[in-house]
Amino acid sequence: MRRPAAFWLDDLLAELRFDVAVLPGDQITVRQDRRAFTAIGAVSGQALVEFPKPTINLIEALGLVGGLAPQSGYPSSVFVLREEPPERLQQLAGSAFTGLQQAIYAFDLTQPSGLFFGGRFNIGDGDILYAAEALYTQFQKALSAITGVATPVTGISNAI
């Protein structure tokens, strides 16, 4: 008896190892690609975003949600949260792990190296993209809660 296998159509077309013979009694199920990531925090559009193509990187993912929020986004604190299999973490950290582990990847997009790495870092199905708010945004919120002023304190944000 043959065992079940799953793979992407793009992989089937690109790699010979996925080109398997279909025998009588085999069942083929074709499903729509429903991979998605969630963008939260100081992004222009918080949303659950379906992948528009087979792979997307961090920079493309930010583009899909409109980038960082102009008044509150903090480009030196962009994070990707995901569950990683133990083999992957062992590759990265060199320590032994068992079971899925929660991992956080941090990016500083104010540095060229952060932008280049973000362009090579692929977003996975179920990832959470989190952009932190700038420190002055937190100060503005606290100040408006105390004083009742809802308008931005531009002198402070410009000074920072």
Side-chain angles (χ1 to χ4, degrees):
M1 174 167 213
R2 294 171 65 154
R3 58 178 208 259
F7 43 83
W8 300 104
L9 178 61
D10 289 338
D11 293 338
L12 173 65
L13 298 174
E15 298 183 39
L16 289 175
R17 68 184 172 105
F18 291 113
D19 190 9
V20 296
V22 177
L23 301 174
D26 285 354
Q27 294 182 359
I28 298 173
T29 304
V30 179
R31 292 188 207 134
Q32 184 175 0
D33 186 356
R34 289 287 195 195
R35 291 174 297 152
F37 69 94
T38 304
I40 59 174
V43 291
S44 292
Q46 296 187 42
L48 175 66
V49 181
E50 289 189 4
F51 283 41
K53 58 184 189 170
T55 59
I56 57 170
N57 63 48
L58 172 64
I59 304 303
E60 292 169 327
L62 281 169
L64 289 171
V65 295
L68 297 176
Q71 297 299 318
S72 62
Y74 197 48
S76 64
S77 295
V78 176
F79 305 94
V80 174
L81 294 79
R82 74 166 52 137
E83 288 190 332
E84 289 281 17
E87 304 83 30
R88 176 70 177 139
L89 290 179
Q90 190 165 343
Q91 279 179 327
L92 296 173
S95 300
F97 294 93
T98 57
L100 286 177
Q101 298 290 315
Q102 297 170 338
I104 301 172
Y105 298 92
F107 298 86
D108 182 350
L109 301 182
T110 64
Q111 300 296 318
S113 60
L115 289 166
F116 282 116
F117 185 63
R120 291 191 307 266
F121 185 88
N122 285 337
I123 298 295
D125 183 32
D127 280 359
I128 299 170
L129 174 85
Y130 173 73
E133 287 187 327
L135 297 175
Y136 67 82
T137 303
Q138 295 296 328
F139 178 75
Q140 285 178 304
K141 286 180 181 178
L143 185 62
S144 66
I146 294 167
T147 65
V149 177
T151 58
V153 183
T154 56
I156 292 174
S157 63
N158 291 338
I160 294 175

